[in-house]
Amino acid sequence: MSAQNETRRLTAPDIRARKGGDPLVCLTSYHAHTARIVDAYCDVILVGDSLGMVMHGLETTVPVTLDMMILQGLAVMRGSRRALVVVDMPFGSYEGSKEQAFASAARIMKETGCGAIKVEGGKRMAETISFLVERGVPVMGHVGLTPQAINTIGSFRAQGRDESDWGPIEADARAVAAAGAFAVVLEAIAEPLGRRITEEVAIPTIGIGASVACDGQILVLEDMLGLSPRVPKFVKRFGELGPSIEHAIKSYAEEVRARRFPGPEQVYPMRKTKA
Ligand code: KIV
């Protein structure tokens, strides 16, 4: 039995139905407490495998494991109530076969309670996406710059900057949509290409350095908060938390060293013992 006024969580079909409607607001989160704040303003929270670089200081997302994704997915589910939580399938957990992809997706969904998963790749992933969707796994696609392919593409540079390169990226987005994905992330692609794909495909496009014409936008939370030391060129910083955290830590260190913290007003008074 569920409580009457419990907030209903958005589902993959709810997000799918937003094609061409109000822009979808999406952010990443990896923790319960940031998820709680993000949840109040966002339609989708992505537990991105970018957590490997952002939380763990890795150079790429390649070493991220299924267990890491599940642990942070659980934290985000605990912290949120309304947004659709999408958990990234990490490198090596789905590319081997459709069956491997299903086993990994099932683990993520059972162990976190999230509402969908995300896979990188276009045409090459289409068969796997259909296989998952037919078996009850809502899938978000991800085309354009696919960071898990860093070792074959060589850099995190934007894709499709020459019009002659647009064809394969468009074909990837179309394949993901035709395979049954409920939405697709377009990462770091030329603006007119993002606009064109958004007009062409029947599912919502979620842009990250793509086009304002996309059906929604996503950013890595720590990047937009000004916490990440290096961010891609397209990232707009909506806050400057890095300097503000540093200032707070410096003040604390100064007070501890000067024996000013904790001040007398913060110390528990000693209880008088009864005679
Ligand atoms: O891992 C991630 O955070 C992502 C977003 C950049 C879309 O895939």
Side-chain angles (χ1 to χ4, degrees):
M1 200 182 74
S2 64
Q4 264 180 347
N5 56 3
E6 224 173 63
T7 310
R8 189 180 84 81
R9 221 184 243 286
L10 293 173
T11 63
D14 293 329
I15 300 302
R16 166 75 185 76
R18 294 270 295 272
K19 175 72 187 176
D22 284 346
L24 289 158
V25 186
C26 318
L27 277 174
T28 64
S29 166
Y30 323 122
H31 331 92
H33 61 284
T34 55
R36 198 164 293 125
I37 304 169
V38 170
D39 191 53
Y41 301 95
C42 289
D43 302 300
V44 174
I45 305 180
L46 173 69
V47 185
D49 62 352
S50 52
L51 66 80
M53 298 168 79
V54 176
M55 286 180 72
H56 296 272
L58 295 167
E59 283 298 313
T60 73
T61 56
V62 171
V64 173
T65 66
L66 206 49
D67 287 337
M68 286 160 84
M69 297 310 303
I70 289 171
L71 198 61
Q72 301 325 130
L74 257 176
V76 169
M77 285 300 291
R78 280 191 210 108
S80 62
R81 294 188 319 152
R82 180 188 162 272
L84 172 69
V85 174
V86 180
V87 177
D88 251 341
M89 297 260 270
F91 178 72
S93 71
Y94 61 99
E95 306 90 328
S97 66
K98 306 182 295 244
E99 291 75 14
Q100 182 207 21
F102 182 76
S104 301
R107 251 200 85 192
I108 292 179
M109 294 187 73
K110 276 170 181 280
E111 293 181 35
T112 67
C114 74
I117 56 92
K118 175 163 83 59
V119 296
E120 291 187 8
K123 271 165 94 173
R124 68 183 168 86
M125 288 312 300
E127 212 184 317
T128 298
I129 294 173
S130 303
F131 189 83
L132 294 178
V133 175
E134 281 162 15
R135 283 157 184 78
V137 179
V139 180
M140 178 179 272
H142 183 154
V143 306
L145 174 65
T146 50
Q148 291 177 9
I150 182 65
N151 290 307
T152 46
I153 59 179
S155 81
F156 292 117
R157 241 178 300 131
Q159 306 290 298
R161 285 202 293 194
D162 296 328
E163 202 170 339
S164 55
D165 299 331
W166 288 8
I169 303 172
E170 266 183 282
D172 276 344
R174 276 202 297 263
V176 162
F182 69 91
V184 60
V185 169
L186 306 181
E187 179 164 355
I189 58 171
E191 199 281 336
L193 176 59
R195 191 176 286 276
R196 192 147 120 183
I197 293 174
T198 301
E199 284 162 9
E200 270 177 32
V201 298
I203 56 172
T205 56
I206 316 284
I208 172 160
S211 164
V212 73
C214 288
D215 298 294
Q217 300 293 331
I218 187 160
L219 282 175
V220 170
L221 182 66
E222 284 76 356
D223 291 355
M224 62 85 88
L225 290 179
L227 266 173
S228 307
R230 275 175 301 142
V231 295
K233 271 203 208 117
F234 57 77
V235 172
K236 175 172 173 186
R237 289 183 188 246
F238 288 80
E240 283 301 340
L241 256 56
S244 133
I245 290 176
E246 190 172 345
H247 176 75
I249 295 172
K250 190 166 162 255
S251 307
Y252 167 72
E254 281 167 5
E255 291 209 11
V256 171
R257 289 200 184 102
R259 296 194 188 283
R260 283 200 307 268
F261 177 85
E265 70 283 1
Q266 289 154 294
V267 176
Y268 298 110
M270 221 172 95
R271 283 207 186 107
K272 289 212 175 93
T273 23
K274 282 182 195 148

